[in-house]
Amino acid sequence: MTDLFKEPSRTFGLVECLGQTFANDDARREFFLNLLRDKLKDPAFRKIEGFPVGTDEAILAMSDPPYYTACPNPFLEDFVRHFGKAYDPNSKYSREPMTVDVSEGKTAPLYKAHSYHTKVPHLAIVPSILHYTEPGDIVLDGFGGSGMTGVAAQWCGTAPAAYRHGVESEWKKQGRPAPRWGARRVILNDLSPAAAFMAANYNLPFDVDAFSKAGKQLLKDVEHEIGWMYETLQTDGITKGRIEYTVWSEIFTCPHCAGEVNFLDEALDEDSKRVKDSFSCPHCGADLNKDNLNRVLESRIDPASGEKWKRVKFCPSLISYVSGGVRREKQPDKSDLAILAKIEAMPLPSDMPTVRFPIEQMYHGSRIAPKGFSHIHHFFLPRAAQAMALLWHKANSHPNFRIREMLLFYVEQAIWGLSVLNRYQPIQQGRPGGSQVNRQLTGVYYVGSQHAECSPQYNLGLKLDRLGKAFRDYKTANGNAAISTGTATGIPIPDGSVDYVFTDPPFGENIFYADLNFLVESWHRVTTDAKPEAIVDKFKNKALPQYQHLMQRCFAEYYRVLKPGRWMTVVFSNSKAAVWNAIQVALQQAGFVVAEVTALDKVQGSYRQVTSTTAVKQDLVISAYKPNGGLEDRFNRRGATVDSAWDFVQTHLKHLPAVKVTKGDFPELLNIVERDPRRIYDRMASWFIRHGEMVPISTPEFLAELPHRFREADGMVYLPEQLVEYEKVRAGIPQAKQAELFVSDERSAIDWLINFLYKRPSTRSEIHPDYMPQIGSAKKKGEIIPELDQLLEDNFLRYDGTGEVPSQIHSYLSTNHKDLRGLSKSNPQLVVKAKDRWYVADPNKAQDLESKREKMLLKEFAAYQAVSGRRLKEFRLEVLRAGFKAAWAAKDYKAIIAIAQKIPEDALQEDEKLLLWYDQALTRMEKM
Ligand SMILES: C[S@@+](CC[C@H](N)C(=O)[O-])C[C@H]1O[C@@H](n2cnc3c(N)ncnc32)[C@H](O)[C@@H]1O
């Protein structure tokens, strides 16, 4: 490619695309559309899992190939080959994990330019992309949603100076090298055609001025054609006003006299705008409230099918309009009702979709169908149907393809707001008044009993300016982004071709994307194939194990396409421990190694590392890496040997941060939980288990050997060069802050005690008041946490006053008590002070302690196995973990499965280690 024709420039009107030159952009699109048209005729292509539901023509109409297709993008591979850099095992790449603050940037105009059910703001993603990648690198998001990862990747190239300055000075404060600015290339994929369409419009270039002009014209044309539908007369009967919205109230009947009750007319207090708790029946005077009214289903004729149709009854109750520049309200009068009747007699416009929702497979199906809403057109009252269809028609008729797509991107945002899902909310933030635009309940289909039917101008008028402003300073270019519509289990790009993955998958049963997107997708005439959707949904027969396996397949695909040694950031937002564990297990089964998990502390605005899995209340960010080829190759050669275990640790330590400090002017040093010896053991063990191998070294042997192979500081394990870095920083920050640990089970209780006694060898009575408040209500059903005394006895050492004071206690007392400074270890004054203090054993003794403990745990496990009956009523998770581990080592998969069936499902699903062993045991048994 010569420089003259390098994308995205259009020298002499010529356009360069994937190595070919075209006379202009239309010619480029036409050429690739023809290729896509042929491809769509290939039955094998159409059979790809997750292929959207729609005709060839509908898919082609949405697509802008090769950059965006409303189906799996057959040009992605060319895109990667053209722009990507092949993996070079000799290139030096090393990064530490980086945290994402997902709450950042929620007010940015670009973020707000199009809403989606959940979004991670682009400004929250930009720092990670800057950190993990170089300009021109390829970033992937397989659950791309509205395309924010793409916006972030491009923002790295177009961020304004003030933003750059902010990032640079923050990084400088943290002692990090300055970021390298410049756009990254991005591949975005989503199962949902609506999401991918949004992502495409967010990420592909368009002429902002031309769009703003076309948007204004569109609103003008709509006004010209159907403005009469929104005219009303002021109460003087002469002055004309423009309707902003009409409030429709559901009609009920009185349980006493069966008379019809217009809910809003009777229950709304006109002055305060509050709904009264009780009110009188206008017919018989009986006391009524929302709960004792009877629903009315009126018989209508379905305007699409001409057949009988029953739907809840709505009547117009209130009109909010503007006249002479003043906003006023009135009750609908005769002429208003006449206009509504005239509109109702009009035929349903052809642009209005009339398809039926897949009600039986929808989580919210039972909320809408009994009220009579089963087809798309049912969601629009007659005037809103005319308006929405006209908006769509006008947008879709624009001659310029990119402007047409952007106009659809603009008007599709009125679909929810013009439908009956838009609730009337006269009180907002405790006060009467406020906009009635897009007041639908998010994340569900819910038709309330008061609906604000907005005019197109009221819903979309202000949005146009906002869109123009949002996109004006954000410059995208053709060739920066490629968008595909399909499942993340199969992304059509070569192995090892991606430099970084940022992803925010669906988490469990929070949001039913395919169901929710059906409303908008029906307008595009291309809908989601919900079969591969990664959610938990009993209506689609998807429980947690199905979700976990789907996620595992998606992560395996990420693993395949990521270059070795590269990183993936996963944002997690679900408060269920079981879902969290499903993700952890899926990640590890796919081959990723987790290097850090952090949670945003919303109150403090800072991050804390997460050590326990049961107390997941906030958004979590997982940083995981694909081990480099070297480690895997050596493992394949050597097998599951002790050397492979140490090789893993060596590689893993390289991926952990050397230092972690809090943000702000007075930074504090944080403990790095992933550097805890036991945590490292667990990561190593998981790695072997996921390779289907035995763990070649026991915990006690591992803990004993660790200090001989690596360096140790403040209870954390380091590579020598990392320790130098840590110590340098520590020297400048005297006060080390202890990482906050949740105590939720026996393991985390022990971890808490280790941390406590490391810093402060103490007597039982000193430990007790600090320890007790940690034992919260987070305990799992049936699980027992041993008493403090037993925990101390089994896991720590107590100095009984005989012999020399152990060095752990000696150094603590001499640092913290002036009068005990410089005393020998056998000094009587020191001995008295040291007596009965519990402390963390040094590695040699730790091995003995650990062996003793393991034996005891296995004895208890044998007792669990001997319990007759179907259920274990009470158990210790540590016993189960030790038992599973031993059974795995003995290849006794049956024992694992048998015990797993005796414990509550939650206990299994909420424990990452148990789940991993159980899952592998099942796989092994299947193979046997
Ligand atoms: C949490 S949202 C992503 C939102 C995105 N971060 C944003 O800012 O807009 C998860 C997305 O995953 C998509 N999805 C669900 N199952 C999928 C699958 N198997 N493959 C690809 N995408 C899937 C859903 O359609 C949804 O858009």
Side-chain angles (χ1 to χ4, degrees):
M1 192 192 319
T2 66
D3 266 358
L4 255 188
F5 297 122
K6 216 172 185 174
E7 274 167 300
S9 66
R10 290 154 193 212
T11 320
F12 316 126
L14 297 183
V15 168
E16 172 84 18
C17 179
L18 300 183
Q20 300 192 57
T21 309
F22 299 91
N24 55 40
D25 213 36
D26 286 341
R28 180 271 305 165
R29 180 166 178 260
E30 203 45 46
F31 173 81
F32 284 102
L33 269 183
N34 283 333
L35 293 183
L36 183 61
R37 187 171 285 117
D38 288 346
K39 191 87 191 156
L40 284 166
K41 292 198 185 98
D42 173 1
F45 180 58
R46 270 206 162 261
K47 271 199 199 121
I48 293 177
E49 186 186 17
F51 203 99
V53 184
T55 61
D56 289 6
E57 284 319 309
I59 290 172
L60 290 166
M62 286 178 92
S63 304
D64 189 7
Y67 303 121
Y68 157 54
T69 59
C71 60
N73 190 333
F75 310 104
L76 278 193
E77 184 162 348
D78 296 341
F79 180 87
V80 169
R81 294 207 189 284
H82 189 74
F83 291 116
K85 287 179 264 119
Y87 170 60
D88 172 8
N90 299 318
S91 80
K92 290 236 173 318
Y93 175 86
S94 152
R95 296 288 192 282
E96 288 182 355
M98 192 198 211
T99 298
V100 181
D101 179 350
V102 288
S103 67
E104 202 170 313
K106 290 211 165 161
T107 54
L110 201 49
Y111 168 77
K112 288 169 42 183
H114 199 311
S115 64
Y116 192 48
H117 317 293
T118 52
K119 278 177 94 163
V120 176
H122 62 289
L123 293 182
I125 311 173
V126 171
S128 294
I129 295 185
L130 287 173
H131 169 76
Y132 287 116
T133 64
E134 300 285 320
D137 274 1
I138 294 195
V139 178
L140 166 69
D141 186 348
F143 299 98
S146 57
M148 292 298 107
T149 304
V151 175
Q154 303 203 55
W155 181 263
C156 294
T158 63
Y163 177 85
R164 291 179 191 221
H165 179 71
V167 172
E168 281 166 11
S169 53
E170 181 56 42
W171 284 30
K172 200 166 172 188
K173 247 194 256 163
Q174 293 170 19
R176 305 162 47 148
R180 294 199 51 202
W181 298 101
R184 277 66 171 164
R185 303 203 192 258
V186 69
I187 294 174
L188 300 166
N189 172 77
D190 200 282
L191 189 65
S192 154
F197 180 76
M198 232 180 277
N201 285 295
Y202 251 123
N203 282 281
L204 300 178
F206 66 97
D207 181 336
V208 180
D209 292 331
F211 160 69
S212 295
K213 211 167 130 202
K216 270 191 204 125
Q217 189 59 45
L218 182 148
L219 288 183
K220 231 192 233 167
D221 291 350
V222 168
E223 170 65 27
H224 182 72
E225 280 187 41
I226 59 166
W228 61 271
M229 295 185 181
Y230 296 93
E231 271 175 9
T232 189
L233 285 178
Q234 209 175 305
T235 34
D236 61 9
I238 307 164
T239 323
K240 276 192 179 174
R242 312 276 327 140
I243 297 179
E244 290 195 318
Y245 58 89
T246 301
V247 184
W248 295 73
S249 169
E250 193 173 342
I251 304 295
F252 296 93
T253 54
C254 168
H256 304 283
C257 68
E260 281 201 347
V261 180
N262 179 316
F263 179 72
L264 212 72
D265 286 355
E266 307 306 326
L268 190 76
D269 182 298
E270 262 189 44
D271 299 324
S272 71
K273 293 285 178 199
R274 290 189 189 277
V275 172
K276 298 176 208 155
D277 288 341
S278 66
F279 49 94
S280 304
C281 171
H283 311 290
C284 69
D287 220 17
L288 297 179
N289 60 54
K290 183 90 193 272
D291 297 328
N292 68 8
L293 292 170
N294 293 326
R295 168 149 292 146
V296 174
L297 287 180
E298 68 170 347
S299 291
R300 307 174 65 89
I301 298 294
D302 187 315
S305 65
E307 287 172 10
K308 276 196 188 144
W309 164 43
K310 281 197 165 185
R311 193 203 68 189
V312 287
K313 187 169 176 182
F314 279 113
C315 276
S317 173
L318 188 87
I319 292 176
S320 174
Y321 66 104
V322 175
S323 162
V326 180
R327 183 166 287 144
R328 303 162 200 268
E329 282 186 355
K330 65 179 266 203
Q331 292 212 319
D333 56 28
K334 262 192 193 157
S335 83
D336 296 315
L337 297 178
I339 291 178
L340 288 173
K342 184 173 162 192
I343 299 167
E344 189 156 359
M346 292 167 68
L348 199 65
S350 60
D351 283 88
M352 168 62 69
T354 56
V355 286
R356 186 177 185 272
F357 276 87
I359 297 281
E360 294 71 21
Q361 284 93 48
M362 276 172 68
Y363 192 86
H364 299 122
S366 60
R367 277 174 185 258
I368 50 176
K371 291 187 181 177
F373 301 98
S374 55
H375 292 63
I376 299 288
H377 60 285
H378 292 169
F379 281 78
F380 298 87
L381 296 182
R383 179 170 48 190
Q386 297 294 334
M388 193 58 236
L390 187 62
L391 284 167
W392 193 265
H393 183 79
K394 293 270 170 216
N396 215 6
S397 312
H398 197 279
N400 177 290
F401 173 75
R402 269 309 281 136
I403 302 300
R404 181 158 80 235
E405 298 259 282
M406 278 310 293
L407 288 176
L408 290 172
F409 173 88
Y410 167 51
V411 303
E412 72 176 10
Q413 301 199 48
I415 293 177
W416 281 75
L418 257 57
S419 77
V420 286
L421 299 159
N422 195 48
R423 295 165 302 160
Y424 174 52
Q425 289 199 303
I427 304 273
Q428 282 168 32
Q429 290 166 341
R431 274 179 290 161
S435 157
Q436 299 302 326
V437 174
N438 294 343
R439 293 274 149 215
Q440 63 276 10
L441 209 60
T442 53
V444 291
Y445 284 117
Y446 168 74
V447 182
S449 43
Q450 301 141 54
H451 157 53
E453 186 226 326
C454 301
S455 76
Q457 182 63 41
Y458 181 65
N459 183 289
L460 285 172
L462 294 176
K463 181 117 205 139
L464 190 63
D465 268 357
R466 288 205 290 261
L467 273 183
K469 278 195 194 112
F471 280 96
R472 190 144 286 124
D473 296 327
Y474 156 70
K475 300 267 174 296
T476 56
N478 268 335
N480 276 1
I483 298 104
S484 183
T485 315
T487 169
T489 53
I491 302 170
I493 50 176
D495 296 359
S497 56
V498 166
D499 298 286
Y500 172 55
V501 173
F502 181 95
T503 203
D504 165 33
F507 286 103
E509 54 183 336
N510 274 9
I511 296 173
F512 307 94
Y513 293 95
D515 292 355
L516 294 171
N517 288 338
F518 192 79
L519 181 62
V520 171
E521 288 170 355
S522 304
W523 285 84
H524 287 284
R525 269 70 177 173
V526 185
T527 57
T528 305
D529 169 16
K531 280 191 277 328
E533 191 182 17
I535 53 166
V536 175
D537 183 351
K538 61 177 185 232
F539 291 88
K540 295 189 176 71
N541 291 324
K542 287 181 186 174
L544 200 61
Q546 283 80 23
Y547 167 74
Q548 183 185 314
H549 287 117
L550 248 167
M551 283 310 302
Q552 195 171 312
R553 287 180 57 211
C554 295
F555 285 140
E557 185 65 352
Y558 277 146
Y559 188 87
R560 179 184 72 78
V561 300
L562 194 64
K563 289 178 183 167
R566 294 297 182 130
W567 287 87
M568 171 166 77
T569 303
V570 184
V571 177
F572 172 90
S573 40
N574 181 304
S575 56
K576 275 201 183 153
V579 177
W580 163 244
N581 276 306
I583 286 285
Q584 291 264 333
V585 171
L587 261 175
Q588 295 178 33
Q589 295 276 44
F592 282 101
V593 181
V594 176
E596 187 175 87
V597 181
T598 48
L600 179 70
D601 184 329
K602 293 226 166 81
V603 184
Q604 304 231 325
S606 66
Y607 271 92
R608 52 185 175 166
Q609 300 158 79
V610 174
T611 50
S612 154
T613 57
T614 44
V616 184
K617 294 254 168 6
Q618 326 89 314
D619 290 339
L620 297 177
V621 178
I622 307 169
S623 306
Y625 62 90
K626 170 174 173 171
N628 61 28
L631 177 70
E632 293 282 338
D633 287 351
R634 290 192 296 275
F635 173 76
N636 288 336
R637 275 202 309 276
R638 280 196 206 120
T641 62
V642 174
D643 281 348
S644 308
W646 294 117
D647 195 5
F648 172 87
V649 177
Q650 174 87 21
T651 310
H652 185 52
L653 288 176
K654 264 193 223 152
H655 287 85
L656 302 184
V659 190
K660 255 191 133 47
V661 290
T662 54
K663 269 188 180 178
D665 292 336
F666 304 101
E668 286 180 290
L669 205 57
L670 289 167
N671 244 19
I672 298 160
V673 286
E674 291 291 337
R675 290 193 178 272
D676 177 273
R678 282 161 203 278
R679 183 57 78 122
I680 295 171
Y681 180 84
D682 288 347
R683 295 286 180 222
M684 181 273 295
S686 304
W687 190 68
F688 279 96
I689 295 167
R690 101 106 189 144
H691 279 91
E693 295 290 349
M694 301 302 133
V695 185
I697 181 166
S698 73
T699 318
E701 285 164 344
F702 180 84
L703 294 179
E705 179 71 13
L706 201 62
H708 300 298
R709 293 189 177 249
F710 300 97
R711 309 292 296 276
E712 189 267 331
D714 301 335
M716 298 184 282
V717 183
Y718 277 98
L719 294 174
E721 62 278 15
Q722 293 178 325
L723 187 63
V724 174
E725 196 187 329
Y726 175 69
E727 285 179 334
K728 208 166 83 194
V729 177
R730 187 174 61 173
I733 304 176
Q735 219 187 356
K737 190 175 166 190
Q738 182 162 332
E740 211 176 316
L741 297 173
F742 302 107
V743 174
S744 56
D745 56 13
E746 183 176 344
R747 180 69 258 160
S748 50
I750 297 170
D751 286 345
W752 186 91
L753 287 167
I754 291 177
N755 269 282
F756 185 87
L757 293 175
Y758 237 119
K759 297 254 149 66
R760 197 155 44 114
S762 308
T763 62
R764 184 200 181 278
S765 56
E766 286 169 344
I767 302 167
H768 192 256
D770 278 53
Y771 174 74
M772 286 321 281
Q774 306 294 327
I775 305 289
S777 53
K779 222 168 65 141
K780 288 165 198 152
K781 203 174 138 218
E783 196 220 339
I784 329 167
I785 301 183
E787 293 300 324
L788 175 61
D789 291 299
Q790 196 189 336
L791 288 176
L792 290 171
E793 196 65 48
D794 291 348
N795 301 285
F796 301 92
L797 296 175
R798 184 176 61 86
Y799 173 60
D800 63 3
T802 50
E804 280 193 343
V805 173
S807 53
Q808 292 92 324
I809 306 183
H810 176 247
S811 69
Y812 167 70
L813 291 177
S814 54
T815 335
N816 290 283
H817 294 262
K818 265 194 200 141
D819 51 331
L820 299 178
R821 238 165 242 171
L823 300 182
S824 82
K825 285 182 179 164
S826 47
N827 180 291
Q829 199 192 339
L830 189 81
V831 168
V832 170
K833 198 81 185 159
K835 186 162 179 289
D836 288 335
R837 283 181 189 271
W838 290 93
Y839 63 99
V840 183
D842 66 33
N844 294 327
K845 296 220 181 83
Q847 187 176 8
D848 296 343
L849 256 184
E850 193 70 36
S851 308
K852 188 179 109 191
R853 191 174 127 80
E854 232 168 64
K855 261 193 216 135
M856 177 198 73
L857 293 173
L858 289 178
K859 208 164 133 201
E860 212 168 320
F861 186 72
Y864 289 3
Q865 287 179 299
V867 169
S868 56
R870 288 183 45 232
R871 288 259 164 242
L872 269 179
K873 285 204 183 66
E874 283 192 329
F875 51 84
R876 281 168 68 189
L877 279 176
E878 280 295 275
V879 169
L880 295 176
R881 289 178 191 140
F884 276 31
K885 185 174 150 194
W888 175 262
K891 302 194 173 150
D892 188 357
Y893 310 122
K894 271 194 192 138
I896 296 178
I897 294 168
I899 288 285
Q901 283 163 353
K902 278 192 187 182
I903 58 173
E905 212 176 308
D906 286 359
L908 187 69
Q909 274 171 349
E910 290 182 4
D911 193 275
E912 181 192 332
K913 287 185 203 161
L914 295 183
L915 194 58
L916 187 63
W917 274 308
Y918 174 63
D919 218 59
Q920 283 284 358
L922 282 180
T923 317
R924 295 261 126 175
M925 286 299 282
E926 276 163 19
K927 285 186 188 153
M928 279 167 114

